[in-house]
Amino acid sequence: IEVNEQRGYALFSLNPKIYPLADIKSAVRKILDRACVILDGDLEKEILIEVRVMKQGDTIKALALELANLLLK
């Protein structure tokens, strides 16, 4: 996970063999009310997730940690 608090984004790089796309989408849905999320990458090699804060009061670090925890469940 790369978190850039100054620019307000976090980047995740995930192995699709460990994190299936369905599980990633499920985790992302749980933070969509507070974050803008972009999924990108190659479904065979690497899935990239960019997260940006949408609501004032949230921090990118908190959202990134929440998404990381959701991905582990």
Side-chain angles (χ1 to χ4, degrees):
I1 304 171
E2 175 191 332
V3 178
N4 187 322
E5 292 185 68
Q6 288 179 336
R7 293 192 175 174
Y9 70 85
L11 294 175
F12 289 74
S13 174
L14 303 175
N15 182 334
K17 294 176 184 165
I18 297 171
Y19 297 96
L21 185 59
D23 293 347
I24 293 170
K25 286 181 177 181
S26 177
V28 164
R29 278 188 205 101
K30 294 177 182 173
I31 66 165
L32 277 180
D33 61 327
R34 295 175 294 136
C36 177
V37 180
I38 299 171
L39 295 176
D40 197 9
D42 183 342
L43 293 177
E44 299 295 319
K45 296 178 183 178
E46 176 185 50
I47 298 174
L48 302 172
I49 306 171
E50 181 178 336
V51 180
R52 292 190 177 266
V53 175
M54 275 188 355
K55 285 193 173 182
Q56 198 169 16
D58 282 328
T59 66
I60 191 59
K61 187 174 182 178
L63 283 172
L65 290 173
E66 183 177 347
L67 181 57
N69 284 331
L70 290 168
L71 288 166
L72 292 174
K73 291 183 180 182

